[in-house]
Amino acid sequence: MNLFGHSTRMPTADQLLPGRPEAMPVADRHTVLDAPLRGPWPEGYRVAVFGMGCFWGAERIFWQLPGVYSTAAGYAGGSTPNPTYEEVCSGGTGHAEVVQVVYDPAKVSYEQLLKTFWENHDPTQGMRQGNDRGTQYRSIVLTTDAEQAAAAERTKQAFQPEVTAAGLGAITTEIAPLAEFYYAEDYHQQYLSDAKNPYGYCNHGPNGLSCPIGVARTGS
């Protein structure tokens, strides 16, 4: 939730905050999934990164999916190393609030993760999501390889006619290669879990639209 600022313009090089070399300390284990919060990950597992507004509700959506091994709230898409929440919210880092999703592709496909992403926020709002305004709340898919990039673009194009038919505008979701994922402060991790804030702020949920892609793969 935006408590600090609502800059809707990406910072220029001379406006970027310097950040710091130290990574943000976080707990060793996921509050809900009891999996490691940091890697290394099991062999064959993959990483996806999505930004769809406030990362609290977004993370909860993904940790509930079968096949997801671990999730974490963080910052990506900007330039400031190891930013704080206050710095990201100031608009001086260029980062979006994002969720890192570690998943078993034998149980859930990247396309299914994308379907969850597209159907649980409004991807047409530019530098905001609902009442949350600022560059940190922009819709973004950060990809780790060419296969993810192609799938993100393909599903974006497939979803646009559904969005248009609903009376909404052009999808503004940014699709870009992931440069670096920075963990958010520990109190943001699994913020909406029963152990922390089960009734906390969340503006995510089904948008009533269906992204026409394939179903998830299942099996061992």
Side-chain angles (χ1 to χ4, degrees), residues 46 48 50 62 65-68 101 103-116 147-148 151 154-155 213-218:
R46 300 190 65 191
F50 304 104
F62 284 105
L65 294 180
V68 168
V101 181
Y103 65 101
D104 180 354
K107 297 179 180 178
V108 61
S109 69
Y110 183 63
E111 287 78 7
Q112 184 64 35
L113 298 181
L114 283 165
K115 182 177 177 68
T116 298
E147 183 181 354
Q148 285 192 358
R154 183 173 63 251
T155 56
I213 65 172
V215 299
R217 295 188 297 271
T218 58

Side-chain angles (χ1 to χ4, degrees), residues 58-142:
E59 187 187 12
R60 181 172 62 182
I61 288 170
F62 284 105
W63 83 51
Q64 294 175 340
L65 294 180
V68 168
Y69 176 71
S70 186
T71 61
Y75 313 114
S79 300
T80 297
N82 298 301
T84 67
Y85 181 60
E86 290 80 2
E87 289 171 342
V88 172
C89 288
S90 77
T93 73
H95 291 297
E97 292 189 18
V98 299
V99 178
Q100 175 181 266
V101 181
V102 183
Y103 65 101
D104 180 354
K107 297 179 180 178
V108 61
S109 69
Y110 183 63
E111 287 78 7
Q112 184 64 35
L113 298 181
L114 283 165
K115 182 177 177 68
T116 298
F117 167 80
W118 293 120
E119 294 180 359
N120 282 278
H121 77 299
D122 185 343
T124 70
Q125 294 189 324
M127 298 296 184
R128 71 180 180 93
Q129 190 63 209
N131 293 327
D132 292 336
R133 299 180 62 85
T135 54
Q136 71 270 31
Y137 297 118
R138 68 191 186 274
S139 176
I140 186 170
V141 179
L142 292 153

Side-chain angles (χ1 to χ4, degrees), residues 179-191:
E180 188 74 40
F181 171 83
Y182 297 104
Y183 284 84
E185 292 84 344
D186 191 62
Y187 76 92
H188 288 301
Q189 305 301 333
Q190 299 87 63
Y191 183 86

Side-chain angles (χ1 to χ4, degrees), residues 28-37 63 68-71 190:
D28 292 333
R29 308 291 296 182
H30 194 285
T31 303
V32 178
L33 301 175
D34 194 30
L37 212 59
W63 83 51
V68 168
Y69 176 71
S70 186
T71 61
Q190 299 87 63

